[in-house]
Amino acid sequence: MYANGVLQISGSGDVYDQNVASIWAKEGITDAATKIVVDDGITSIGSNFFTGLVNVQDVLLPDTVTRIGSHAFSGCGKITSLSLPAALTSIESNAFSGTKITEMTLP
């Protein structure tokens, strides 16, 4: 997490599923993030991973993401648009519940 509100996820492979609350809620930083950037190499956004990041407005997903887990962005109430990556093959239940997405670009 950067001081400017950017939460950047880097590495390779799957981002792990979380139990009900996201790791960010457990750390008490759900209000700090305003933008999520997932780097190339990440292949899966785990269930509940970004749940409750209430001030996130922008999400950038790389073309390497193939799965978005259940409730992955649940409660991210300021997200209004999202572009999904071309490699995406699975969006699990309630992945975007509690968002305000009115525009989504599909692969």
Side-chain angles (χ1 to χ4, degrees):
M1 170 72 93
Y2 295 102
N4 64 357
V6 175
L7 175 59
Q8 186 167 2
I9 307 299
S10 60
S12 61
D14 296 343
V15 174
Y16 297 109
D17 292 340
Q18 300 291 309
N19 295 329
V20 185
S22 72
I23 190 171
W24 318 112
K26 293 173 190 171
E27 295 293 323
I29 58 171
T30 55
D31 293 343
T34 58
K35 182 176 185 175
I36 296 169
V37 176
V38 179
D39 288 347
D40 278 338
I42 301 296
T43 56
S44 174
I45 306 298
S47 297
N48 298 302
F49 195 77
F50 294 116
T51 294
L53 295 177
V54 296
N55 288 318
V56 168
Q57 297 174 8
D58 298 311
V59 177
L60 299 175
L61 299 174
D63 284 334
T64 54
V65 171
T66 61
R67 172 189 167 257
I68 298 176
S70 66
H71 298 278
F73 293 94
S74 181
C76 297
K78 292 189 178 180
I79 299 173
T80 58
S81 65
L82 183 66
S83 291
L84 298 176
L88 189 66
T89 58
S90 174
I91 301 173
E92 295 179 7
S93 66
N94 298 305
F96 303 107
S97 65
T99 67
K100 293 188 177 158
I101 294 175
T102 57
E103 182 178 331
M104 186 176 286
T105 304
L106 303 173

